[in-house]
């Protein structure tokens, strides 16, 4: 949007545009100041669009080729800024891949105040507990590990020790000087990390099936077999043909 | 006797970028370009084959957001304005390049293409592209699938069942409205599968979907036919498996067919090559350089080594690549067929916009593929529903969590650039469920508000914005496309909690985010 286009707008229209652009301008500003603020905001916004110009990208991003067109006419929409948190005590976990999960949490202001008020509180931590495979009781506690966090942390990526297991995460407050006692503030949903090897409990595969799996282009997937100590591979990994996209 | 089956599955999708409250909105061009470069050319391919009685069969997913935009009258009007601008530029280019033996024919080619687009859109289809696809759907040439309402990456929402069911339910209602019948298949956005989603899809009377090779092979139990036959989940949903070899032949940016030097280069565009003074009228008031769609160079090599595009040579190469693709699939079918008790199936899912928009010759490749498959026999081109009619019994197995993104899981849609989305989108779903429980039988204004709230929640779940944030491209724009619906939802939630409604604001929002007119907010009620 050029200055002359803005010049053609009334002061009232300029204020409306500024509002739509997300600017919170004080009333009574002179026209040039309003125009300058709008141009600055639009220029900032267009910068990141222009950054993309000339970059190579994945094919599935190319359908959005318009991104490579810098322009000032951006939509600021009807939405306004969103809250960063919801002032509640909660924790949620999402499996990302066989090795990592994403957890985000919050402690309400009142809970945090009461924690700070307790002389015995010695900080927050996450307890990541394996709860066995699907179908087994969730309370059959197996292995766990703790991750200390601070009051200002709201999320973490958690490295999982094993794939193909269910786990959950407790947000806990440790009680100082009480022999490791703690209080669970919130418990996450159960999460299952995906397998990255063939199911060991599958019926024995025929030699034809192994050949079909190889023809399917997944030669380098390991076969989980804990009795052997290490994963087996269908075929030597040297035969793998990595593609540009995951299969 | 068929030696095997080949099932092409195209995913036609655009995020909702309709912003008709602005005189001109750049991101709407994604949609216009896709119409001009992919959807209308695909329909031309279908027409051509139908005229020659070539028995083509393929499966096409039209996402609900794309269907909403294709059905939108205001966008149709703006698409015609876009075509008029393209035609004006084409005329200018013909005049500029008159007498140039290499480039004048290319300017004429683009002029003819945009002229054909306008004729097809206006005269042949009366601005009804969905109706054009529906014609082939009704004739049994196309099998139309649906997909997530706003293309949400479902594995991330697996613990918010209402989020997943809302994506599915809204999609089915939109599909019925557009095409008059229940879809059989559901395209999982980004091929994002997780154990459990099959039960949800089947509960909506959907019969099949498509998963990645890795997801299927890591399934439980391991599928004995690899990717050459689908598997059936305990719910009865059938999961077809992507053929990795076919995928790489086309998808790979470095070694796939579209990278061939003779094809038209995607990047070199007069919008970045010619003086802004010349392009000024086309660029209108922005002054910024834009992609115009007028690209005269072949892929060839580095920028300063490129040669002029030769459409005749490119068309010949597309036919050669179709022959190569078919020969490779025949060889694969022959090898797999010897090990199976039924003809092997090779499922080839691609983004539709690859064909035409990115790979200009893609539609010609598809047409050559169908024609050559028909004349050669051996491999039968089939839709996924037709395969299930021939082979209703399939091995029981549950695929593992998987996607077609880099890494094969959720890496693309869940990283430091975009993970903030899920706190807010998840909260919006939770609060939407709360509202649906609190207000189960509303009508009038309150029902309108609740339905708009449901639209905003669905919009906040769109996976395309997370992808763009991760790619670092227009991250600010992508971020706003998530923040806005979340903010709008929050405002509605606050309105309902305080029992105060700004009808003017609501009406403005309804006009802007006008997709899914038949939406029913009650779908967010918790399933008992």
């Amino acid at each position: 949007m050029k200055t002359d286009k803005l010049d053609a707008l009334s002061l009232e229209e300029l204020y409306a545009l500024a509002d739509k652009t997300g600017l919170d301008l004080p009333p009574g500003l002179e026209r040039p100041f309003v125009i300058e603020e709008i141009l600055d905001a639009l220029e900032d916004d267009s910068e990141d669009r222009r950054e993309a110009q000339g970059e190579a990208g994945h094919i599935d991003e190319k359908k959005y080729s318009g991104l490579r067109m810098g322009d000032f006419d951006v939509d600021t929409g009807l939405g306004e800024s969103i809250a960063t948190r919801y002032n509640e005590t909660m924790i949620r976990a999402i499996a990302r891949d066989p090795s990592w999960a994403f957890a985000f949490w919050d402690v309400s202001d009142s809970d945090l105040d009461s924690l700070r008020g307790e002389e015995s509180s010695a900080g927050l931590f996450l307890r990541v507990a394996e709860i066995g495979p699907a179908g087994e009781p969730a309370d059959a506690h197996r292995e766990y590990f703790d991750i200390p966090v601070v009051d200002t942390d709201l999320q973490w990526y958690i490295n999982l020790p094993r794939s193909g297991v269910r786990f959950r995460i407790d947000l806990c407050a440790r009680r100082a000087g009480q022999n490791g006692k703690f209080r669970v503030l919130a418990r996450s949903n159960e999460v299952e990390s995906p397998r990255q090897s063939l199911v060991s409990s599958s019926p024995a595969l025929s030699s034809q099936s192994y050949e079909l799996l190889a023809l399917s282009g997944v030669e380098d997937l390991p076969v989980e077999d804990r009795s052997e100590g290490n994963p087996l591979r269908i075929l030597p990994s040297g035969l793998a043909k990595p593609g540009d996209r995951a299969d | 006797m068929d030696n095997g089956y080949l099932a092409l599955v195209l995913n036609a999708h655009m995020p909702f970028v309709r912003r008709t409250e602005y005189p001109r909105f750049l991101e709407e061009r994604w949609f216009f370009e896709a119409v001009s470069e992919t959807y209308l050319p695909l329909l031309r391919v279908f027409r051509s084959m139908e005229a020659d009685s070539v028995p083509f069969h393929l499966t096409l997913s039209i996402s609900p957001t794309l269907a909403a935009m294709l059905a939108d009258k205001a966008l149709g009007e703006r698409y015609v304005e876009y075509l008029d601008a393209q035609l004006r530029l084409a005329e200018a280019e013909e005049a500029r390049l008159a007498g140039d033996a290499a480039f004048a024919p290319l300017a004429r080619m683009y002029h003819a293409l945009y002229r054909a687009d306008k004729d097809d859109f206006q005269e042949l289809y009366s601005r009804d592209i969905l109706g054009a696809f529906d014609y082939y759907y009704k004739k049994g040439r196309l099998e139309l699938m649906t997909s997530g309402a706003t293309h949400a990456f479902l594995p991330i929402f697996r613990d918010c069942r209402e989020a997943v069911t809302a994506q599915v339910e809204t999609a089915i209602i939109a599909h019925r409205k557009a095409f008059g019948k229940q879809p059989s298949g559901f395209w999982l956005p980004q091929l994002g599968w997780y154990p459990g989603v099959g039960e949800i899809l089947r509960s909506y009377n959907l019969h099949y979907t498509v998963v990645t090779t890795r997801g299927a092979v890591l399934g439980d139990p391991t599928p004995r036919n690899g990717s050459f036959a689908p598997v059936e989940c305990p719910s009865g949903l059938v999961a077809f498996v992507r053929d990795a070899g076919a995928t790489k032949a086309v998808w790979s940016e470095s070694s796939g067919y579209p990278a061939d030097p003779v094809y038209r280069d995607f990047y070199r565009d007069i919008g970045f090559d010619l003086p802004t003074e010349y392009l000024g009228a086309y660029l209108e008031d922005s002054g910024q350089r834009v992609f115009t769609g007028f690209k005269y160079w072949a892929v060839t090599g580095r920028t300063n080594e490129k040669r002029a595009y030769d459409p005749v040579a490119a068309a010949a190469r597309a036919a050669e690549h179709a022959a190569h693709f078919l020969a490779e699939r025949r060889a694969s079918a022959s090898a797999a067929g010897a090990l199976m008790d039924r003809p092997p199936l090779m499922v080839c899912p691609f983004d539709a916009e690859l064909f035409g928009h990115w790979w200009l010759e893609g539609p010609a490749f598809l047409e050559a593929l169908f024609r050559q498959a028909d004349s050669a026999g051996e491999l039968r081109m089939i839709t996924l529903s037709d395969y299930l009619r021939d082979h209703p019994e399939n091995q029981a197995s549950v695929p593992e969590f998987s996607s077609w993104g880099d890494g094969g899981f959720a890496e693309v849609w869940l990283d430091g650039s975009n993970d903030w989305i899920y706190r807010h989108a998840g909260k919006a779903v939770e609060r939407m469920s709360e509202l649906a429980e609190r207000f189960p039988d509303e009508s009038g204004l309150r029902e309108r508000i609740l339905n708009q709230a449901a639209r905003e929640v669905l919009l906040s779940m769109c996976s395309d914005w997370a992808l763009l944030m991760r790619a670092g491209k227009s991250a600010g724009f992508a971020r706003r496309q998530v923040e806005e619906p979340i903010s709008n939802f929050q405002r509605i939630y606050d309105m309902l909690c305080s029992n105060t409604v700004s009808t003017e604001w609501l009406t403005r929002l309804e006009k802007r985010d006008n997709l899914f007119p038949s939406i029913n907010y009650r779908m967010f009620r918790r399933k008992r």
Side-chain angles (χ1 to χ4, degrees):
Chain A
M1 186 174 290
K2 289 177 178 172
T3 309
D4 54 0
K5 192 172 178 184
L6 292 175
D7 282 338
L9 299 176
S10 68
L11 186 58
E12 191 180 13
E13 288 169 327
L14 285 171
Y15 262 94
L17 180 59
D19 185 46
K20 214 158 38 168
T21 312
L23 293 170
D24 185 18
L25 298 181
L29 282 182
E30 295 294 333
R31 285 177 52 83
F33 293 109
V34 180
I35 290 172
E36 191 178 335
E37 291 288 340
I38 291 170
L39 286 173
D40 283 350
L42 295 177
E43 175 66 32
D44 287 347
D45 187 88
S46 68
E47 274 303 313
D48 56 3
R49 298 205 212 177
R50 284 202 292 263
E51 281 173 12
Q53 189 176 309
E55 287 177 6
H58 291 287
I59 289 167
D60 54 354
E61 290 154 14
K62 291 192 180 76
K63 68 168 74 167
Y64 314 123
S65 64
L67 288 174
R68 291 151 56 83
M69 300 181 292
D71 195 296
F72 292 152
D73 281 331
V74 296
D75 178 31
T76 55
L78 295 161
E80 295 164 3
S81 60
I82 59 175
T84 54
R85 53 190 287 266
Y86 295 91
N87 193 23
E88 60 180 349
T89 302
M90 54 72 69
I91 182 165
R92 191 175 160 225
I94 304 173
R96 188 180 108 131
D97 57 48
S99 303
W100 293 93
F102 175 64
F104 58 90
W105 63 89
D106 196 7
V107 182
S108 69
D109 292 343
S110 59
D111 281 353
L112 209 51
D113 285 346
S114 76
L115 278 176
R116 285 171 178 151
E118 292 175 18
E119 287 182 8
S120 58
S121 177
L124 301 174
F125 69 95
L126 303 178
R127 170 151 296 184
V128 184
E130 188 181 313
I131 53 176
E136 288 187 12
D139 56 0
H141 240 239
R142 296 185 171 196
E143 297 171 18
Y144 67 85
F145 60 93
D146 294 344
I147 301 172
V149 297
V150 297
D151 293 357
T152 50
D153 287 338
L154 289 174
Q155 61 185 51
W156 270 83
Y157 283 88
I158 297 167
N159 191 210
L160 302 170
R162 288 202 295 137
S163 65
V165 295
R166 280 192 308 155
F167 62 92
R168 69 174 169 228
I169 304 171
D170 290 341
L171 174 63
C172 308
R174 199 179 302 281
R175 293 171 188 273
Q178 294 196 27
N179 201 22
K181 285 189 177 175
F182 63 91
R183 179 152 69 98
V184 176
L185 301 176
R187 170 160 288 181
S188 81
N189 51 303
E190 292 177 13
V191 175
E192 187 161 358
S193 63
R195 284 186 296 276
Q196 53 185 347
S197 51
L198 300 191
V199 175
S200 57
S201 59
S202 284
L205 291 171
S206 65
S207 58
Q208 286 97 328
S209 289
Y210 278 108
E211 285 187 58
L212 285 166
L213 289 171
L215 284 169
S216 300
V218 288
E219 300 94 326
D220 61 338
L221 280 178
V223 183
E224 187 178 84
D225 186 348
R226 291 179 190 165
S227 64
E228 294 291 326
N230 291 306
L232 304 173
R233 287 180 185 277
I234 299 172
L235 292 171
S237 58
L239 294 180
K241 302 177 187 68
D244 290 314
R245 292 167 67 92
D247 283 303
Chain B
M1 168 70 182
D2 297 315
N3 292 336
Y5 302 102
L6 189 57
L8 275 180
V9 186
L10 301 184
N11 167 44
H13 165 65
M14 280 282 139
F16 192 69
V17 288
R18 177 187 181 277
R19 289 290 182 271
T20 52
E21 72 272 26
Y22 288 88
R24 184 167 175 262
F25 191 70
L26 274 174
E27 282 71 13
E28 283 181 356
R29 285 184 64 117
W30 303 347
F31 171 69
F32 301 151
E33 288 169 5
V35 172
S36 273
E37 296 164 8
T38 294
Y39 312 140
L40 289 174
L42 276 180
L43 286 166
R44 257 171 235 137
V45 167
F46 299 160
R47 279 209 313 275
S48 164
M49 291 193 290
E50 186 183 41
D52 293 341
S53 302
V54 176
F56 66 98
H57 295 278
L58 80 156
T59 309
L60 175 69
S61 167
I62 298 181
S63 75
T65 47
L66 174 62
M69 292 192 292
L70 286 172
D72 190 274
K73 287 191 169 23
L75 271 182
E77 188 63 40
R78 285 156 79 102
Y79 175 59
V80 173
E81 291 169 11
Y82 163 83
L83 286 177
D84 287 339
Q86 297 299 102
L87 287 167
R88 285 195 297 275
L89 184 58
E91 285 170 10
E93 280 296 277
E94 281 197 78
R96 182 179 72 85
L97 295 168
D100 187 313
F103 294 110
L106 295 175
R108 285 196 294 276
M109 176 189 83
Y110 284 117
H111 197 164
L113 282 174
Y114 287 116
R115 185 72 254 165
D117 284 347
K118 189 168 180 185
D119 288 347
D120 285 359
F121 186 68
Q122 293 270 64
E123 311 301 332
L124 188 61
Y125 299 129
S126 304
R127 301 190 177 191
D128 182 10
I129 289 179
L130 286 179
F133 283 118
D134 190 42
Y135 168 81
Y136 296 104
Y137 189 20
K138 298 287 192 295
K139 291 193 83 172
R141 297 295 189 200
L142 276 185
E143 162 90 17
L144 291 185
M145 306 168 74
T146 190
S147 184
T150 55
H151 229 59
F153 183 67
L154 300 181
I156 282 184
F157 295 96
R158 65 188 292 179
D159 290 300
C160 303
R161 186 181 170 89
E162 290 73 28
V164 178
T165 56
Q167 286 281 331
V168 176
E169 191 168 324
T170 306
I172 290 173
I173 292 169
H175 186 95
R176 281 196 195 129
K177 184 175 166 59
F179 304 110
K181 61 189 212 182
Q182 163 86 11
S184 284
F186 186 90
W187 174 275
L188 291 163
Q190 323 295 359
L191 294 197
W193 165 276
Y194 65 89
V197 75
E199 282 68 24
I200 294 174
L201 296 179
R202 192 68 196 96
S203 73
Y204 283 98
N205 201 28
L206 293 160
H207 294 282
Y208 68 83
T209 190
V210 181
V211 299
T212 64
T213 319
R214 178 190 290 265
V217 168
L218 291 178
D220 188 8
T222 307
R224 60 176 176 271
N225 289 319
S227 64
F228 295 100
V231 294
E232 184 171 325
C233 303
S235 62
L237 186 91
V238 172
F240 287 92
V241 188
R242 181 163 80 149
D243 184 282
T247 301
K248 285 172 195 165
V250 178
W251 262 123
S252 172
E253 284 190 88
S254 54
S255 59
Y257 299 136
D260 190 286
V262 81
Y263 289 138
R264 190 203 67 176
D265 185 78
F266 178 80
Y267 296 104
R268 284 291 299 274
D269 185 296
I270 63 166
F272 294 93
D273 285 351
L274 297 184
T276 51
E277 297 74 33
Y278 172 77
L279 296 164
Y282 180 81
L283 303 179
E284 297 178 12
D285 59 348
S286 72
Q288 295 297 297
R289 289 188 175 276
V290 300
F291 270 133
T292 63
F294 289 77
K295 306 164 197 280
Y296 297 131
W297 302 90
V299 171
T300 27
R302 292 175 182 277
T303 302
N304 55 2
E305 297 166 352
K306 290 191 185 301
R307 295 181 189 160
Y309 175 60
D310 178 353
V312 176
R317 186 61 51 84
E320 289 168 21
H321 279 153
H324 179 265
F325 183 85
L326 209 50
E328 293 276 302
R329 304 289 78 71
R330 272 200 294 266
S332 186
S334 175
L339 303 165
M340 294 173 63
D341 59 0
R342 64 164 82 173
L345 167 69
M346 288 156 288
V347 178
C348 310
F350 301 109
D351 273 347
E353 294 77 18
L354 165 71
F355 298 92
H357 174 61
W358 162 241
W359 181 18
L360 179 67
E361 301 79 6
F365 168 86
L366 289 178
E367 181 168 354
L369 185 62
F370 280 111
R371 288 178 181 275
Q372 291 175 21
D374 178 47
S375 59
E378 298 185 52
L379 285 182
R380 181 177 158 201
M381 305 291 279
I382 197 169
T383 66
L384 299 182
S385 280
D386 285 344
Y387 178 90
L388 282 183
R389 269 189 285 278
D390 287 358
H391 300 282
E393 303 291 329
N394 292 286
Q395 184 191 350
S397 178
V398 180
E400 179 57 295
F401 167 26
S402 47
S403 80
W404 75 358
D406 289 343
F409 299 97
E411 295 90 335
V412 171
W413 298 277
L414 183 61
D415 82 348
S417 66
N418 53 33
D419 53 24
W420 61 272
I421 294 172
Y422 306 110
R423 179 187 298 272
H424 303 291
K427 191 68 187 172
V429 172
E430 182 189 319
R431 287 183 167 175
M432 189 66 232
S433 293
E434 175 199 324
L435 290 176
E437 294 291 338
R438 277 171 57 195
F439 306 108
D441 300 312
E442 298 302 319
S443 59
L445 179 61
R446 199 188 290 270
E447 185 179 34
R448 274 176 54 198
I449 298 169
L450 287 159
N451 282 337
Q452 194 58 36
R455 289 187 191 97
E456 301 300 320
V457 173
L458 290 172
L459 285 169
S460 76
M461 297 168 67
C462 174
S463 62
D464 301 284
W465 310 130
L467 182 144
L468 291 175
M469 286 176 214
R470 182 178 188 266
K473 293 183 175 182
S474 198
F477 172 76
R479 187 179 180 95
R480 275 194 301 282
Q481 304 318 300
V482 179
E483 285 179 340
E484 285 177 10
I486 287 171
S487 168
N488 293 332
F489 170 78
Q490 186 59 47
R491 185 162 173 181
I492 291 173
Y493 180 80
D494 292 343
M495 278 181 188
L496 289 165
C497 290
S498 62
N499 210 20
T500 56
V501 174
S502 165
T503 50
E504 186 189 350
W505 179 83
L506 175 69
T507 303
R508 198 150 51 99
L509 189 58
E510 285 175 325
K511 280 184 179 169
R512 194 186 82 160
D513 296 342
N514 70 343
L515 70 179
F516 311 142
S518 304
I519 199 168
N520 183 344
Y521 71 91
R522 298 168 190 84
M523 67 190 167
F524 278 95
R525 293 190 72 181
R526 297 186 180 95
K527 309 295 182 288
R528 296 177 174 86

